[in-house]
Amino acid sequence: MAENNGLALEDMRIGQSAEAARVVEEADLDQFAKVSGDYNPVHMDEVYARSTPFRGRIVHGALVASHISGVLGNQLPGPGAIFLALNMRFFQPVRIGDEVLTRVTVKDIDIKARRLVMDCVCTVDGKVAMQAEAEVMVRKRRRKPVE
Amino acid sequence: MAENNGLALEDMRIGQSAEAARVVEEADLDQFAKVSGDYNPVHMDEVYARSTPFRGRIVHGALVASHISGVLGNQLPGPGAIFLALNMRFFQPVRIGDEVLTRVTVKDIDIKARRLVMDCVCTVDGKVAMQAEAEVMVRKRRRKPVE
């Protein structure tokens, strides 16, 4: 991975998993608003957000989703992996300051098509904030297999 | 909308649509990498990316997805709208400098559950880069209806 090479499909097995924890900072919402153009006040304006059923700012769902991109892109399968599809469902809002634990698990491997299906879940304090299924394309093996 | 009030469900109709164009800048990828933690070199390292079948850096899929968040959160239904689910499929990579046109269209409205389904499509030069279906929760009407 230090050499920018993620796992190849041949190195992976069903049930294999990886996880990462990230605390969502207020600055993350500002940066996400810039790149997405999403200035929805339920995310960006505390006064407005207090007037909603959420009673305060909540993190953009698509920002939480980006954590999945992080674990898939950095860890499993790692560098070179590309999203083909991502199906997400949101269960509870994430707040600024929350530590989001993102766990991805290999659900299915299709060697021939060079694709895999990953189960993804983001939790905060053990409660599921989001669940997703990702279909990922993985490059051909270039280096020695991982033991 | 200037008053931070998006459309209420009662103001919406099937087939209604909104769109926005955004050019993806290199700085967007840097910021997205920061908030997502996704430093996959196929997005961040031109030398590495040239060695892949993409022959150069491509934009994070989840960053393209964030444009949908932008159109839903700012325009239709606008402020106050919240993702319940988002199902995306990626068809072709987006490059730095590409202008992504994101169009969202109301597909279904469930007044009782206060939910709506939106068809979403991101195109570059008329070619579909991503298609998605979003399930969105919409707040109760607070202000006068839109004509």
Side-chain angles (χ1 to χ4, degrees):
Chain A
M1 302 258 258
E3 292 158 313
N4 275 348
N5 285 289
L7 290 181
L9 273 185
E10 294 81 357
D11 301 331
M12 301 184 70
R13 60 186 189 280
I14 290 172
Q16 191 173 7
S17 67
E19 64 181 29
R22 290 182 70 83
V23 175
V24 182
E25 311 284 0
E26 185 170 11
D28 293 343
L29 278 71
D30 294 339
Q31 291 193 307
F32 187 81
K34 272 188 204 158
V35 302
S36 68
D38 187 351
Y39 287 92
N40 189 333
V42 77
H43 308 305
M44 304 305 290
D45 178 344
E46 180 64 22
V47 174
Y48 173 90
R50 278 188 200 274
S51 75
T52 71
F54 300 109
R55 298 173 184 275
R57 291 172 70 182
I58 62 173
V59 176
H60 302 77
L63 171 51
V64 181
S66 79
H67 291 202
I68 292 175
S69 177
V71 180
L72 294 173
N74 291 326
Q75 295 173 243
L76 184 70
I82 298 296
F83 275 137
L84 294 174
L86 182 62
N87 298 326
M88 305 179 282
R89 184 157 287 276
F90 299 90
F91 293 96
Q92 64 170 23
V94 174
R95 307 281 178 176
I96 293 166
D98 280 351
E99 183 179 75
V100 179
L101 181 66
T102 301
R103 186 173 186 84
V104 304
T105 306
V106 180
K107 184 180 181 183
D108 196 33
I109 303 174
D110 183 338
I111 296 276
K112 199 169 172 185
R114 310 220 54 81
R115 294 176 185 197
L116 59 96
V117 179
M118 308 288 290
D119 271 332
C120 312
V121 60
C122 295
T123 55
V124 175
D125 292 334
K127 290 179 188 164
V128 175
M130 191 204 353
Q131 272 189 321
E133 189 177 89
E135 190 183 333
V136 180
M137 188 176 71
V138 181
R139 66 176 179 75
K140 286 194 180 174
R141 160 190 276 168
R142 290 205 190 126
R143 301 182 70 85
K144 67 182 195 301
V146 177
E147 70 275 28
Chain B
M1 302 257 258
E3 292 159 312
N4 275 350
N5 285 288
L7 291 180
L9 273 185
E10 294 82 355
D11 302 331
M12 301 183 71
R13 61 186 187 281
I14 291 171
Q16 191 172 7
S17 68
E19 65 180 29
R22 291 181 70 82
V23 175
V24 182
E25 310 284 0
E26 185 170 11
D28 293 343
L29 277 71
D30 294 339
Q31 290 193 308
F32 187 81
K34 272 190 203 155
V35 302
S36 68
D38 187 351
Y39 288 92
N40 189 334
V42 77
H43 308 306
M44 303 305 290
D45 178 344
E46 180 65 21
V47 174
Y48 172 90
R50 278 187 200 276
S51 75
T52 71
F54 299 110
R55 297 171 185 275
R57 291 173 69 183
I58 62 173
V59 177
H60 301 76
L63 171 51
V64 181
S66 79
H67 291 201
I68 292 176
S69 178
V71 180
L72 294 174
N74 292 324
Q75 296 173 242
L76 184 70
I82 298 295
F83 276 137
L84 295 174
L86 181 62
N87 298 325
M88 305 179 282
R89 185 157 286 276
F90 299 90
F91 294 95
Q92 64 170 24
V94 174
R95 305 282 178 175
I96 293 166
D98 279 352
E99 183 180 77
V100 179
L101 180 67
T102 301
R103 185 173 186 84
V104 305
T105 305
V106 180
K107 184 180 182 182
D108 195 34
I109 303 174
D110 183 337
I111 295 278
K112 200 170 173 185
R114 310 221 53 83
R115 292 175 186 199
L116 58 96
V117 179
M118 308 289 290
D119 271 332
C120 313
V121 61
C122 296
T123 55
V124 174
D125 291 333
K127 288 179 189 165
V128 175
M130 192 204 356
Q131 270 189 321
E133 189 177 270
E135 190 182 333
V136 179
M137 189 176 70
V138 182
R139 67 176 179 74
K140 285 194 181 173
R141 160 189 276 168
R142 293 209 187 124
R143 300 183 69 86
K144 67 182 193 305
V146 178
E147 73 279 19

